[in-house]
Amino acid sequence: MTTVKVKFRPSTVEDRPGTIVYFVTHRRAVRQITTDYKVFPHEWDDKQSRPILVPTGERTAVIQTIAQRIRRDINRLDKIINSLNCNKREFATDEIVKLFHETEREASFFEFMEEVILQLERLGKERTAENYTTALNSFKRFRNGNDIMLNEIDSDLMKEYEAYLKSHGVAMNTVSFYNRILRAVYNRAVEKEMTVQRYPFKHVYTGIDKTVKRALPLKIIKRIKELDLPLKSSLDFTRDMFLFSFYTRGMSFIDMAYLKKKDLQNGILSYRRRKTGQQLFIKWEKSMQEIIDKYPANENSYLLPIIKTDRNERLQYKNALRLVNNKLKEISVSIGLQSKLTMYVSRHSWASIAKSQNIPLSVISAGMGHDSENTTRIYLASLDNSMIDKANELILGKL
């Protein structure tokens, strides 16, 4: 029987961190693997043989990384031992240690990507971390949970993954979304010299497909506005959030959720798009205020009744988005819509209706905060914001 134990060796120097050590025992022969992971005595749980994870503090990120690396090392040792056992031949403890050191520069794709996700979370990039987690989970399903080494990622594998996604009815934009995320992680591993560049994503789709726009005409927006819904119900709340997005030129739900009361001053709502960082200014209209007035003022600093407490803001936003998207489906059924109603439909609808009112494309683009095209960026520098406000006022006046 072969065993691996994780131990903490205190430093001989006072107030210095100790070292994490692995003890590998096979046929009573014990060998030691000394790591470069350092923790202080109060950061080590001797009974559980693992670092003590604390939610906050200067060393939190360091301890989280060390804990993850220990798990990765133990998994690698287990795989080495299992592989040697499967060969049904005699082997010594020294061989286990030798193979461990030989594979030290290697890393599994799952483990490396999980480490990248943890780093994104530590940097406060929660949305990106969630996207990376979604892509990783998809790839894990394709692999039936079987991990793979970074140096085994090749073009054939990624073509198989793409075929798997297509066979499960995944839209091409989603296929591209997953491939681009996996490519970014792979390229990061290449930069760290954990694998060589094999260009595994060269023959898979990483572009952007033109999607069917689900913009609603003005008469449908009116029908949604005039729906007879139970006051202060979840359906009523959903309708209000959809309309508020439309009123504010298709503001995204995440930007709505994080609006602060201080963002509304002197009849102007100002906010910075979380997606692009671009700052936008919107003239405050009566229809917007009517929605605010329907709900008790938040005790916290947020403007809309989406994030209601100062704890777990991200979770509150995600729960509210899930609720709204579910209830929008009910609203779309109630008015007989053939297409799926989502918060993003309000954005497409505002642009489509603005175009139908002969509002210049440059004004529409600026009003929505588009900055991906050079022509739009150049025009934004000199565009009078009152033109955008007049465009929005014209649309809202049609309701």
Side-chain angles (χ1 to χ4, degrees):
M1 183 179 176
T2 310
T3 61
V4 178
K5 293 185 178 179
V6 185
K7 297 291 183 181
F8 170 69
R9 180 188 294 157
S11 174
T12 56
V13 181
E14 192 176 355
D15 296 328
R16 294 296 299 272
T19 305
I20 306 298
V21 181
Y22 307 143
F23 288 94
V24 183
T25 305
H26 177 70
R27 294 183 179 277
R28 297 184 181 180
V30 182
R31 295 293 181 270
Q32 176 181 301
I33 300 173
T34 303
T35 74
D36 59 357
Y37 313 146
K38 304 286 186 180
V39 297
F40 289 97
H42 68 274
E43 296 171 334
W44 182 256
D45 185 337
D46 209 36
K47 289 183 179 179
Q48 300 290 328
S49 295
R50 65 186 183 189
I52 297 170
L53 297 176
V54 292
T56 57
E58 293 180 5
R59 293 267 298 168
T60 299
V62 175
I63 299 301
Q64 286 177 335
T65 300
I66 289 173
Q68 187 182 40
R69 288 177 177 171
I70 290 172
R71 289 195 298 271
R72 185 181 68 190
D73 289 346
I74 299 305
N75 285 338
R76 195 158 82 248
L77 281 166
D78 286 343
K79 287 177 182 177
I80 290 168
I81 293 165
N82 289 336
S83 177
L84 290 170
N85 282 326
C86 287
N87 289 335
K88 296 181 180 179
R89 65 173 178 80
E90 294 292 327
F91 61 90
T93 316
D94 288 333
E95 189 172 357
I96 300 171
V97 175
K98 180 185 175 184
L99 288 170
F100 177 81
H101 286 308
E102 284 177 354
T103 60
E104 209 160 10
R105 288 301 298 163
E106 297 179 9
S108 82
F109 187 78
F110 290 1
E111 291 168 355
F112 179 70
M113 191 161 179
E114 285 165 355
E115 193 167 324
V116 170
I117 291 167
L118 270 179
Q119 185 181 33
L120 289 169
E121 289 173 346
R122 290 195 293 270
L123 292 172
K125 298 182 177 180
E126 296 160 325
R127 193 176 185 184
T128 305
E130 289 167 3
N131 289 339
Y132 274 48
T133 301
T134 301
L136 175 58
N137 289 339
S138 169
F139 193 65
K140 281 183 175 180
R141 287 192 294 272
F142 159 69
R143 294 279 305 164
N144 291 319
N146 297 317
D147 206 345
I148 186 169
M149 302 305 289
L150 279 162
N151 60 12
E152 295 177 294
I153 302 286
D154 60 18
S155 181
D156 288 341
L157 177 73
M158 298 318 300
K159 283 190 286 186
E160 288 175 19
Y161 173 56
E162 183 170 279
Y164 160 84
L165 292 175
K166 289 178 181 177
S167 70
H168 284 74
V170 177
M172 288 309 296
N173 276 341
T174 305
V175 171
S176 174
F177 176 71
Y178 291 157
N179 281 336
R180 283 182 282 120
I181 288 175
L182 297 177
R183 182 179 62 185
V185 173
Y186 178 85
N187 287 342
R188 189 177 297 200
V190 172
E191 288 175 8
K192 289 178 175 289
E193 299 182 352
M194 299 177 75
T195 188
V196 297
Q197 180 61 270
R198 295 180 178 84
Y199 302 100
F201 298 87
K202 186 176 181 180
H203 301 294
V204 295
Y205 184 64
T206 55
I208 303 293
D209 252 14
K210 287 186 178 180
T211 55
V212 177
K213 304 303 181 187
R214 299 189 177 95
L216 301 176
L218 195 61
K219 63 179 182 180
I220 299 297
I221 300 292
K222 283 184 177 181
R223 283 185 63 189
I224 293 172
K225 181 182 179 183
E226 294 166 0
L227 274 174
D228 185 14
L229 300 174
L231 189 63
K232 296 185 179 179
S233 65
S234 55
L235 282 170
D236 190 34
F237 168 77
T238 295
R239 189 249 310 271
D240 286 342
M241 295 304 100
F242 180 84
L243 290 175
F244 187 89
S245 173
F246 181 79
Y247 295 161
T248 53
R249 310 190 308 238
M251 187 186 297
S252 70
F253 192 74
I254 191 166
D255 289 333
M256 286 168 52
Y258 286 92
L259 283 176
K260 298 291 185 73
K261 294 172 184 175
K262 63 182 178 62
D263 295 334
L264 177 58
Q265 293 186 19
N266 302 319
I268 299 294
L269 179 65
S270 63
Y271 75 100
R272 196 172 291 277
R273 290 191 71 198
R274 294 174 79 88
K275 184 176 181 179
T276 63
Q278 183 187 349
Q279 190 166 22
L280 298 177
F281 301 90
I282 300 173
K283 181 184 176 184
W284 193 248
E285 300 286 351
K286 180 183 176 182
S287 53
M288 304 170 192
Q289 187 62 45
E290 286 173 350
I291 290 177
I292 298 297
D293 290 342
K294 280 181 65 175
Y295 300 90
N298 284 340
E299 294 181 3
N300 58 23
S301 58
Y302 293 105
L303 180 65
L304 290 168
I306 298 171
I307 299 175
K308 299 177 182 179
T309 67
D310 291 325
R311 296 182 62 185
N312 299 320
E313 287 98 338
R314 182 75 182 176
L315 181 60
Q316 291 180 71
Y317 151 71
K318 289 173 67 177
N319 288 340
L321 179 59
R322 190 179 300 112
L323 169 72
V324 165
N325 280 332
N326 286 334
K327 295 301 176 182
L328 281 173
K329 292 176 185 176
E330 293 184 30
I331 291 175
S332 64
V333 170
S334 69
I335 61 175
L337 275 184
Q338 297 298 315
S339 58
K340 183 180 177 183
L341 187 60
T342 67
M343 286 297 295
Y344 204 63
V345 170
S346 69
R347 186 168 178 81
H348 284 309
S349 300
W350 188 89
S352 178
I353 294 168
K355 186 178 180 182
S356 72
Q357 299 299 314
N358 298 317
I359 294 168
L361 182 61
S362 54
V363 176
I364 297 169
S365 180
M368 299 178 74
H370 287 164
D371 63 352
S372 58
E373 297 180 4
N374 288 332
T375 52
T376 303
R377 283 198 293 268
I378 293 168
Y379 195 82
L380 281 172
S382 59
L383 185 65
D384 183 354
N385 200 70
S386 64
M387 291 177 66
I388 303 171
D389 290 330
K390 287 178 181 177
N392 197 35
E393 189 174 352
L394 176 62
I395 292 169
L396 301 190
K398 297 285 183 180
L399 284 175

